[in-house]
Amino acid sequence: MSNWLRRLSRDRSSKDHSDLPMPSRPFSHNVEQSPPQPYKDTQYSSGFNSQDKLQTFRPATSGEAQYSNPPTSTRAPTGGNVDAMNRNITTGLEPTPSPLTKAFNDAIRPYQEQIEDLKVQLEDTMYRLQTLEDERADMHAWIDKRGLRADVPPSIAHAMNTDPTSAQTLNYQLDRKMTVLNHDLHRLQDSLSTHLPTATFATTLAQLIPSIEDLAALPGGPPLAFELLIKLGGNLNSHGGDEGWNNDADAASRADFYTQLDACMMDVVKMRLKESDAHSHAAAEDAAAGAGQGENWQVGRDIKRLDKTGAFLKSKLGLREYFPRSVEIMKRGEGARMERSLPLQGRAQ
């Protein structure tokens, strides 16, 4: 009987020890999610009283770690995160336009097409305009190269006179043309055995008077026109022999020619005095501002010059008057200028 009880107790004890669950080692794929506790036999006591002690040392599996770790934050996603999520979802896809935007785009599409057509037409027009301007510049250069500016029609002359250097260019061409006419008349006179009448020379040279008037109307033109008129009269004086100057017809032709020159010179003198006075006023206010503006005309010097030439022509060629009205205007202008330059006390005396 005692042997039977001892064997029963030993069998029950071995059965209890065999039924105890052994701790299992963690799998490799759960190492990052839940780091396992190192398995050491020394962590367990030699006596196992219950199954609960072993459960406290068992590492959690992947499923258990997922449910055992609570979420770090339970806040709802903000608006920025929602937009980012939506952009990630709709990446590469254009948003659907609203009906109002679609209707607006459809309404302005015809006007946008018209604007594009107008832009193309504007570019074409600008190209044509630039082409015409280049052609006009080439034509003006061709005219100036051949010295024909004085002979062009008024419409072309008006376009050419817009250049700042138009006065100098026209003066050069008129002087050249005057020289060519003078040489042609000299060759004609040398080829003939008789004396050419003075009227022929006067009529030929008088063709330049309208062009000189146009020169005087340009900025900076009056001083140049003044010198051309004096030179034009000198070209007439160089023609003919001594026997020709005693002819009454030649004397009348010379007098008539100088009358035309004097009429043109009167306008030139008035414009030149006006420019000179403007320059004097600007220089009086500010010397720096007056530099380069207009001309400081020495009127008295030119008066003496004309008087000396007139006296020579009267004694040599019998010319009675040499720019008489122009000289009178110059003297009055010089007198008025001298009166303005005097101090107030000097004027009262």
Side-chain angles (χ1 to χ4, degrees):
M1 186 65 178
S2 59
N3 294 333
W4 181 81
L5 291 173
R6 193 179 304 113
R7 189 169 55 253
L8 179 61
S9 176
R10 188 168 53 250
D11 293 339
R12 183 178 299 174
S13 176
S14 61
K15 182 177 180 181
D16 292 338
H17 285 283
S18 62
D19 292 338
L20 289 175
M22 298 300 294
S24 58
R25 293 184 181 274
F27 294 97
S28 60
H29 64 272
N30 294 328
V31 173
E32 297 179 357
Q33 297 180 1
S34 176
Q37 300 292 335
Y39 181 77
K40 294 183 180 180
D41 294 339
T42 57
Q43 293 180 357
Y44 303 98
S45 60
S46 59
F48 296 95
N49 297 327
S50 65
Q51 188 175 357
D52 296 334
K53 292 182 179 181
L54 295 177
Q55 294 294 338
T56 58
F57 296 96
R58 182 192 303 175
T61 60
S62 61
E64 293 175 353
Q66 180 179 1
Y67 292 103
S68 63
N69 296 329
T72 58
S73 176
T74 58
R75 289 187 303 172
T78 60
N81 295 333
V82 173
D83 295 339
M85 294 173 63
N86 293 335
R87 286 196 299 269
N88 294 333
I89 295 174
T90 61
T91 300
L93 299 177
E94 297 181 357
T96 304
S98 63
L100 181 61
T101 304
K102 186 176 181 299
F104 177 77
N105 294 335
D106 294 340
I108 67 173
R109 186 174 295 110
Y111 300 100
Q112 291 178 343
E113 294 176 355
Q114 294 180 8
I115 292 174
E116 294 298 329
D117 294 340
L118 291 176
K119 288 181 178 179
V120 174
Q121 295 178 9
L122 179 60
E123 292 177 358
D124 295 341
T125 304
M126 294 298 294
Y127 175 76
R128 294 176 183 175
L129 181 61
Q130 185 62 38
T131 303
L132 292 175
E133 290 181 352
D134 295 340
E135 293 178 355
R136 183 181 65 177
D138 294 340
M139 180 185 65
H140 293 175
W142 185 90
I143 292 172
D144 289 337
K145 185 177 180 180
R146 288 155 179 81
L148 302 176
R149 176 175 288 208
D151 301 325
V152 297
S155 58
I156 299 178
H158 178 72
M160 298 181 72
N161 291 337
T162 57
D163 185 53
T165 61
S166 58
Q168 290 76 9
T169 304
L170 182 57
N171 174 70
Y172 170 76
Q173 295 187 14
L174 287 176
D175 183 77
R176 180 183 176 184
K177 185 176 182 180
M178 188 185 303
T179 303
V180 171
L181 288 176
N182 189 36
H183 290 170
D184 291 341
L185 291 173
H186 271 292
R187 286 199 303 265
L188 179 61
Q189 177 66 62
D190 295 339
S191 63
L192 298 175
S193 58
T194 59
H195 170 68
L196 281 177
T198 304
T200 303
F201 297 99
T203 304
T204 305
L205 295 176
Q207 298 176 3
L208 299 176
I209 294 179
S211 300
I212 296 176
E213 293 176 348
D214 296 337
L215 173 63
L218 298 177
L224 303 175
F226 185 88
E227 298 298 332
L228 284 180
L229 288 174
I230 295 176
K231 184 178 180 179
L232 189 61
N235 288 338
L236 178 64
N237 299 334
S238 65
H239 292 284
D242 294 339
E243 70 280 359
W245 295 107
N246 298 324
N247 190 334
D248 294 338
D250 291 340
S253 300
R254 286 194 305 272
D256 183 64
F257 179 75
Y258 272 102
T259 301
Q260 299 181 48
L261 292 183
D262 193 20
C264 182
M265 182 67 82
M266 290 173 60
D267 297 333
V268 172
V269 167
K270 292 177 182 178
M271 288 184 287
R272 193 174 183 184
L273 285 171
K274 184 177 180 180
E275 288 188 359
S276 180
D277 292 341
H279 172 80
S280 300
H281 290 311
E285 294 176 358
D286 188 357
Q293 298 181 1
E295 175 205 12
N296 187 15
W297 185 21
Q298 301 296 329
V299 185
R301 185 180 60 184
D302 284 332
I303 291 175
K304 294 179 180 179
R305 175 186 171 191
L306 294 179
D307 289 340
K308 185 177 180 179
T309 305
F312 172 79
L313 294 177
K314 183 177 181 180
S315 62
K316 182 66 177 178
L317 305 176
L319 184 64
R320 290 181 300 223
E321 293 181 337
Y322 184 74
F323 297 108
R325 294 175 294 177
S326 300
V327 172
E328 184 64 25
I329 294 175
M330 293 168 64
K331 290 180 179 179
R332 290 201 303 266
E334 179 66 11
R337 179 183 297 180
M338 293 179 62
E339 184 179 357
R340 287 194 300 268
S341 63
L342 292 176
L344 295 178
Q345 294 180 357
R347 294 182 188 180
Q349 295 175 358

